[in-house]
Each structure stands twice: as C-alpha cells, then as structure tokens.
Amino acid sequence: MPEVSRRVVMTSALGGIGVAVAASLPAAPAIARAVLPANGAESGADAAPVRSLFSPHVGRTFRAVDGDRDLTLTLDAVQDLAPDGAPGDENRFVLLFSARGSTAADGIYRLTRSGVPGVALFLNPIGPRGTTRTMQAIVNRTA
C-alpha cells in the first residue's frame, strides 16, 4: 500500500479550499467594477488585471513604479493573446506601452492612473533600444 505524506495531504486540502474560494468569486468584469471607489479615485489595494481596466485608456498615460524607477508609460494597444486566446477575453491579453528614455527595464511595476485602481504587472522591454522603448505585459489568468 503506498504511503501518503503530510505534504500530499496538505497540498490536496489547500487546493480544494482554493477551488472553493475561486468558485465563489464574481466574474472578472464585476471584480474590475467592484474595486473602483465610488468617487473614481485611486484605491490603495491592487486590482486584478483585467482587460476592462485598460481598454478604455488606450492612448493615455500610466505611471509605472518598481521601487527604483518611476516611468511614464503611454498605453499603445490592448491585444488578444494569440494564437488560442478568445477575442476580447477579460483574463488573457497583451498590453503594449511606449516608454520614453533609457531607464525602461524589465521588472514588476505598479501601474496607476487617476480614476483607475493600481495593478501590479511584470513589464519587459521588447524591440530595439532607442529613445522610445516598447514595454509589454502579458496577462494570462486561466490557470
């Protein structure tokens, strides 16, 4: 008879609790609306990164802070996560930002914009170096 370790028992129990909690959460767009304060000001807690938080702000600027750097980023595009992403999926998308200057580097940034809750995302520069750098964030919240 195979032995069952404490690690296996704890992992199974914690996994079951996580599934139960996740099943009781509202859909992602409802989460995005629920974290916005009534007056539209920034909240202190980070929100779940969902498409509906970013899509209305294409062409607008966000502040990105990682502790060492404080960048001003312009949101250039919100794209579907290819090739198997469902068009318009709230939880699977790519964000493309423009960053001016040479201080843009990969890392976990807290993105903020007036009237939008803060979101923590990993951003990395893509493409050639220059005076303007493209920063990319990939959101894939299916697992």
Side-chain angles (χ1 to χ4, degrees):
M1 180 168 194
E3 284 189 40
V4 178
S5 69
R6 284 183 283 170
R7 181 178 298 163
V8 170
V9 172
M10 291 302 293
T11 302
S12 298
L14 292 175
I17 292 170
V19 168
V21 169
S24 68
L25 292 175
I31 291 172
R33 286 188 298 274
V35 296
L36 285 172
N39 64 5
E42 294 178 28
S43 69
D46 286 342
V50 292
R51 183 185 293 251
S52 59
L53 286 179
F54 296 97
S55 295
H57 303 288
V58 173
R60 303 223 169 96
T61 60
F62 285 79
R63 181 176 178 207
V65 178
D66 77 344
D68 295 330
R69 289 173 287 276
D70 189 345
L71 306 173
T72 299
L73 304 177
T74 302
L75 180 58
D76 294 328
V78 179
Q79 300 176 341
D80 293 327
L81 187 59
D84 60 343
D89 191 331
E90 276 290 306
N91 295 303
R92 299 183 73 204
F93 56 95
V94 177
L95 300 172
L96 296 174
F97 296 93
S98 295
R100 299 209 41 87
S102 60
T103 59
D106 61 346
I108 298 174
Y109 290 84
R110 184 168 190 272
L111 298 173
T112 57
R113 176 172 170 70
S114 180
V116 179
V119 176
L121 289 173
F122 180 81
L123 297 173
N124 64 300
I126 59 173
R129 291 185 183 261
T131 57
T132 300
R133 201 74 205 264
T134 299
M135 299 289 285
Q136 169 185 263
I138 297 174
V139 177
N140 186 0
R141 297 172 21 107
T142 58

